[in-house]
Amino acid sequence: NDNQDIEMVKGFRIQHLIDSLPMFGGLRIHPSFSSSDGKINAFKNTMKSSIMELGFSGSSGAINLDFSKYSADEIDRVIDSYIGSVLKNVGPDNDIFGTDVNVNSALLLRVRQSYANRTVAGKNLSECFSATDASAKTGQENFTKDANGLSVSLAVEEWGRRRNIDIDSMTVVIQGFGNTGYSAGKILKEHKATIVGIQTNFGSFYNPYGIDLNDFEKQHRAATADKNIESAKKIDSGTFYTIKTDVFISSGYENMIGRESASLLNAKCVVEGADNAVSEDGENILKERGIYIIPDIIASSGGIFFGTAGNRTSKKTGRCRDILEKSLSERISRALDSIERTAHENNLHSKESAVLFAVRNLIKNFG
């Protein structure tokens, strides 16, 4: 570390279905993310790739330290050591890194640059990072920052079209205001949806006439337990779940929609903007109540799409973002067609049918 002391830091890379290459998955820096969590994420990425027709399998990796307690130089040195340890198992034909918790495009770019001259079996390590994450160097647009927010918004709009709910009359509640929640809300707001509720680490907020996201982003951190902000009224977390809305987007952490919250929800559709946002108990209750779930392997597929198909095609053909967005939209529409058909044929809820369809695709494609 910066004090010249030696610290041992644990890190790992989980690769799922290694007979189907290449793989794709995020690298995160988090003190408590375990290898068991990584196995779930790697499997989830395989499911996303399968249902979105990408032909990749999934991976996941982590470095177990508290990002907030280390300097930028210390973080760089730890990542360098980590990459050196997994060097032989990553690369454009094996395993492609994507962004994840505490590892954004800028941090991946620093790692990419620091290893630009290292090669394994004649292949430059810099190629194992998605070119979309290296936008600052290549001049390409940075697709990945709002990629999952884009896939969430596309899935929401497609769900609305199938139920004759126009986007300009749709109400939306957002749980979690990180990249996914903010970007999904921003896109839906631009398309004339009304954002009536937002929950962040600083509290839960409500405005039946619509929350201005730009004002909210500036104001919500200043809110206290007994203080509203200009763009919304502060409410308790229990009341937040009871807000009447067309769509409830859960983009915070896993299992945020459990038994109690699922019983309180007053929404027509729940969107898993975060992986495993709905727990098994929550899923059963939503199924009993007839509330539709857009599962994570569709809703939060934007990151893996732009990190794999988007990156690959943009490098080969120079495809621009609007063409890639159209391709993502078409894939989401086909995926929703498939899971609704599978649900009808097997008497399943949407989340169950999504996994069944994805597994069937894997068996069909890889045997």
Side-chain angles (χ1 to χ4, degrees), residues 29 45 90 181 228 242:
I29 298 176
N45 284 334
V90 299
N228 297 325
T242 67

Side-chain angles (χ1 to χ4, degrees), residues 39-324:
K39 290 176 183 178
I40 294 171
N41 273 17
F43 173 75
K44 187 73 70 171
N45 284 334
T46 298
M47 294 295 99
K48 290 179 183 180
S49 175
S50 175
I51 204 165
M52 298 300 288
E53 308 165 10
L54 296 174
F56 281 66
S57 56
S59 59
S60 179
I63 298 170
N64 293 139
L65 57 78
D66 187 337
F67 188 86
S68 65
K69 295 180 179 179
Y70 291 82
S71 69
D73 286 342
E74 288 173 325
I75 295 293
D76 277 344
R77 289 196 294 271
V78 171
I79 290 180
D80 285 352
S81 178
Y82 170 82
I83 296 297
S85 299
V86 300
L87 194 61
K88 294 181 180 179
N89 299 308
V90 299
D93 299 321
N94 296 319
D95 190 355
I96 302 169
F97 286 100
T99 55
D100 208 325
V101 176
N102 290 324
V103 178
N104 58 16
S105 298
L107 191 54
L108 268 187
L109 177 58
R110 293 210 304 270
V111 177
R112 184 181 192 269
Q113 290 170 329
S114 72
Y115 277 96
N117 296 322
R118 292 185 66 165
T119 59
V120 173
K123 293 178 181 177
N124 193 302
L125 179 64
S126 66
E127 296 175 8
C128 80
F129 295 95
S130 166
T132 50
D133 285 322
S135 57
K137 181 176 181 180
T138 63
Q140 291 178 302
E141 294 178 80
N142 186 348
F143 296 142
T144 56
K145 183 178 180 181
D146 63 351
N148 281 344
L150 174 62
S151 56
V152 165
S153 64
L154 289 171
V156 167
E157 293 191 48
E158 181 63 27
W159 171 84
R161 277 192 291 271
R162 291 161 186 254
R163 286 152 183 81
N164 297 316
I165 301 175
D166 294 331
I167 188 66
D168 58 2
S169 65
M170 184 182 292
T171 54
V172 178
V173 168
I174 300 172
Q175 181 180 47
F177 206 57
N179 279 343
T180 298
Y182 175 72
S183 57
K186 184 177 180 181
I187 294 168
L188 291 169
K189 180 75 172 176
E190 289 172 353
H191 293 180
K192 308 304 182 184
T194 303
I195 312 300
V196 295
I198 300 176
Q199 186 177 70
T200 78
N201 292 334
F202 297 88
S204 303
F205 302 87
Y206 173 62
N207 185 339
Y209 303 104
I211 298 173
D212 185 300
L213 293 189
N214 291 327
D215 289 344
F216 182 83
E217 170 66 10
K218 299 172 186 175
Q219 298 167 0
H220 78 278
R221 291 180 175 83
T224 60
D226 57 353
K227 181 181 178 183
N228 297 325
I229 57 177
E230 189 175 327
S231 57
K233 176 184 178 181
K234 194 162 188 180
I235 58 177
D236 64 75
S237 58
T239 303
F240 176 77
Y241 288 107
T242 67
I243 296 173
K244 185 176 182 180
T245 184
D246 293 311
V247 176
F248 186 101
I249 299 171
S250 185
S251 59
Y253 301 99
E254 61 272 6
N255 299 322
M256 293 196 78
I257 307 298
R259 179 186 298 274
E260 183 177 353
S261 52
S263 300
L264 293 172
L265 280 174
N266 192 8
K268 299 173 184 175
C269 173
V270 171
V271 184
E272 287 192 302
D275 284 348
N276 304 307
V278 179
S279 72
E280 185 175 350
D281 285 342
E283 180 184 350
N284 290 334
I285 290 173
L286 294 179
K287 181 179 179 179
E288 291 172 2
R289 298 184 61 205
I291 297 175
Y292 191 87
I293 301 174
I294 301 180
D296 49 11
I297 61 176
I298 295 176
S300 62
S301 62
I304 195 168
F305 173 78
F306 280 112
T308 55
N311 171 49
R312 185 168 50 193
T313 54
S314 63
K315 286 198 293 184
K316 289 182 177 179
T317 66
R319 299 174 81 183
C320 56
R321 182 178 174 113
D322 58 345
I323 296 176
L324 293 171

Side-chain angles (χ1 to χ4, degrees), residues 339-355:
I339 69 167
E340 289 179 2
R341 183 174 61 252
T342 303
H344 177 74
E345 292 171 350
N346 297 276
N347 192 29
L348 298 173
H349 197 250
S350 54
K351 191 171 178 180
E352 299 167 321
S353 65
V355 173

